[in-house]
Amino acid sequence: MKIESVDVVVTSPGRNFVTLVVTTSDGVVGLGDATLNGRELAVASYLRDHVAPLLVGREAHNIEDTWQYLYRGAYWRRGPVTMAAIAAVDMALWDIKGKVAGLPVYQLLGGRSRRGALAYAHASGSTLEALFRSIRTNLDDGFRAIRVQTGVPGLGKVYGVGRDLAAGERYDYEPAGRVAVPVEESWDTGAYLRHIPTVFEAVRAEFGPALPLLHDAHHRLTPNQSAQLGRSLEPYDLFWLEDCTPGENQEGLRRVRSQTTTPLAIGEVFTGVFDYQTLITEQLIDYVRSSVTHAGGISAVRKLMDFAAMYQIKSGFHGPTDVSPVGMAAALHLDVAIHNFGIQEYMQHNSQTLEVFRTSYTFVDGLLDPGELPGLGVELDLEAAASFEYTPAYLPVNRLLDGTMHDW
Ligand code: CS2
Ligand code: MG
């Protein structure tokens, strides 16, 4: 079964998505997510101009060989553009293999290890009152684990904090603005470090000791500041503290790890196993945050998680709305198949996105499930996709109060 055609679909149902569509000589269609937030067209070009011509005529069943061919064969290894492109090819070929076999992809990965994947929701508020409302709405929606982000006194808009909602109100928080240049936000690490422990103290007092609570520091701290934050949050028993430092300084995590028992999650911007080598072998983190889309696809993330399993490190795959429903489905197949699953992030896509991508995964009683359709279980409506034209959109950037550019 040969690959007959390879198309790249860029669509923007409220936010931008890049999808690879691989069609075989037997007419089987596979989908892959190649969305790289704010740099979407670079991946689209990489796929259209440099990958599609190499794929046509190849054996569609040879997923591993194709992965190695694109990774080793490019000469230029790693990097988010390359790895998102390879990931999309990999996902599409797994989708095809599942459809040909008549099995959902998780069955091809070894079958089910659990009933479903525990999901966590995003709750936020500029004040404690607004935050509590947001947590309650998520609990009412069935979530059993909650990420908590809040405004910081003295700062304006803080990344990861959506607009304040009324009780029961739901909306799609979209951090990437449809703007020609990124919005600039300001940041004060001292104010943040003083404020966050008081927030978790209040949340624990209101919602009790058992609710799994997570927090994302968005790469903004030094190792020493991370150690301070981890320690000050220990009484509130977090499920994890995410991206305390920019993780590319892997050795920096030694300092954090030796100073706090707060569990650590890192890796949503990593592109593969080598970014984790020290973090995993020295057990400096507890959770791998990669998305299937940005870390080389199902094949690569499966290997990464097998490596992590040797060190008792679990998954906590990235699942924001800039991972498309195809990337989300790929994560869910891995979530139910691998032994060392931890938790899955779940930001629900808006209704326009779900018009373009017809999903079959489900969310019931706090658990996500990829469903039983052959392949990944997501269909792309090309007509709907064409009705949403690409619109440039960028994540905000972040400056210290004196104007210095800070870590994102
Ligand atoms: C966040 C994301 O989900 C998360 O943990 O860090 O919202 C992230 O900022 C975006 O996916 C960036 O593209
Ligand atoms: Mg994050």
Side-chain angles (χ1 to χ4, degrees):
M1 186 181 55
K2 301 281 188 226
I3 295 175
E4 196 162 272
S5 65
V6 179
D7 298 295
V8 179
V9 175
V10 179
T11 179
S12 192
R15 60 158 317 113
N16 295 313
F17 296 107
V18 179
T19 309
L20 188 73
V21 183
V22 177
T23 308
T24 71
S25 45
D26 303 1
V28 183
V29 176
L31 301 179
D33 178 25
T35 307
L36 188 61
N37 202 2
R39 299 292 185 271
E40 297 88 358
L41 299 185
V43 192
S45 160
Y46 192 106
L47 283 166
R48 267 190 199 122
D49 299 331
H50 304 293
V51 171
L54 309 182
L55 292 182
V56 173
R58 289 183 70 83
E59 170 56 53
H61 273 305
N62 294 350
I63 302 176
E64 180 66 20
D65 183 64
T66 300
W67 196 98
Q68 301 295 343
Y69 178 74
L70 294 175
Y71 182 79
R72 294 169 197 277
Y75 186 73
W76 308 105
R77 298 184 184 201
R78 308 166 66 183
V81 174
T82 302
M83 297 311 284
I86 295 177
V89 176
D90 184 81
M91 274 181 237
L93 296 184
W94 278 104
D95 194 18
I96 288 169
K97 196 181 280 295
K99 285 175 178 165
V100 171
L103 291 170
V105 167
Y106 79 80
Q107 292 288 13
L108 307 178
L109 299 172
R112 209 172 257 283
S113 289
R114 59 193 49 78
R115 280 185 290 110
L118 176 70
Y120 73 87
H122 284 208
S124 71
S126 68
T127 62
L128 276 181
E129 206 190 332
L131 172 65
F132 287 5
R133 276 202 304 274
S134 172
I135 294 174
R136 283 199 192 94
T137 302
N138 282 305
L139 293 175
D140 289 348
D141 285 348
F143 280 99
R144 292 198 229 142
I146 309 279
R147 186 185 92 157
V148 169
Q149 307 294 127
T150 61
V152 175
L155 291 185
K157 206 176 154 349
V158 172
Y159 187 79
V161 181
R163 83 172 155 76
D164 289 347
L165 302 177
E169 191 189 355
R170 289 145 186 97
Y171 96 123
D172 320 308
Y173 172 55
E174 179 42 81
R178 294 184 163 226
V179 284
V181 294
V183 167
E184 307 224 339
E185 295 178 353
S186 53
W187 182 250
D188 177 356
T189 303
Y192 167 79
L193 291 177
R194 286 191 296 278
H195 185 59
I196 289 299
T198 68
V199 171
F200 277 90
E201 185 183 16
V203 172
R204 275 285 174 235
E206 181 73 14
F207 294 93
L211 179 64
L213 297 177
L214 303 85
H215 178 67
D216 192 343
H218 286 297
H219 325 256
R220 290 182 179 180
L221 310 177
T222 64
N224 199 52
Q225 290 165 342
S226 303
Q228 284 175 35
L229 179 61
R231 272 195 187 182
S232 62
L233 292 176
E234 278 172 24
Y236 315 114
D237 190 23
L238 265 59
F239 186 96
W240 79 34
L241 169 61
E242 175 185 343
D243 285 337
C244 54
T245 70
E248 67 254 35
N249 173 14
Q250 294 190 42
E251 292 81 357
L253 269 297
R254 290 181 188 138
R255 166 110 189 120
V256 188
R257 193 60 154 178
S258 66
Q259 297 300 318
T260 180
T261 55
T262 292
L264 303 173
I266 283 199
E268 69 179 43
V269 301
F270 289 177
T271 61
V273 66
F274 293 107
D275 295 330
Y276 285 101
Q277 204 166 0
T278 303
L279 297 180
I280 289 178
T281 54
E282 296 189 20
Q283 296 176 251
L284 301 180
I285 56 170
D286 300 276
Y287 297 94
V288 162
R289 277 290 286 150
S290 280
S291 66
V292 179
T293 306
H294 303 128
I298 292 170
S299 304
V301 174
R302 174 65 198 245
K303 289 178 196 174
L304 167 60
M305 289 317 304
D306 286 344
F307 175 44
M310 293 168 64
Y311 298 89
Q312 294 168 287
I313 294 169
K314 294 187 175 185
S315 68
F317 297 144
H318 196 205
T321 46
D322 50 283
V323 163
S324 88
V326 176
M328 188 69 197
L332 295 180
H333 285 278
L334 275 168
D335 285 338
V336 298
I338 61 175
H339 176 252
N340 52 334
F341 168 77
I343 201 164
Q344 172 65 54
E345 182 180 26
Y346 183 39
M347 280 175 87
Q348 282 137 306
H349 289 102
N350 66 23
S351 54
Q352 292 177 320
T353 299
L354 297 175
E355 254 172 61
V356 173
F357 298 93
R358 307 246 172 79
T359 57
S360 57
Y361 49 79
T362 56
F363 176 63
V364 180
D365 293 337
L367 302 184
L368 283 159
D369 193 87
E372 298 300 326
L373 288 183
L376 292 174
V378 180
E379 273 177 44
L380 179 65
D381 182 328
L382 287 173
E383 217 174 290
S387 68
F388 298 107
E389 209 178 308
Y390 170 77
T391 313
Y394 292 99
L395 291 164
V397 297
N398 193 33
R399 291 188 188 274
L400 300 181
L401 297 179
D402 70 357
T404 308
M405 264 303 288
H406 192 52
D407 292 306
W408 180 85

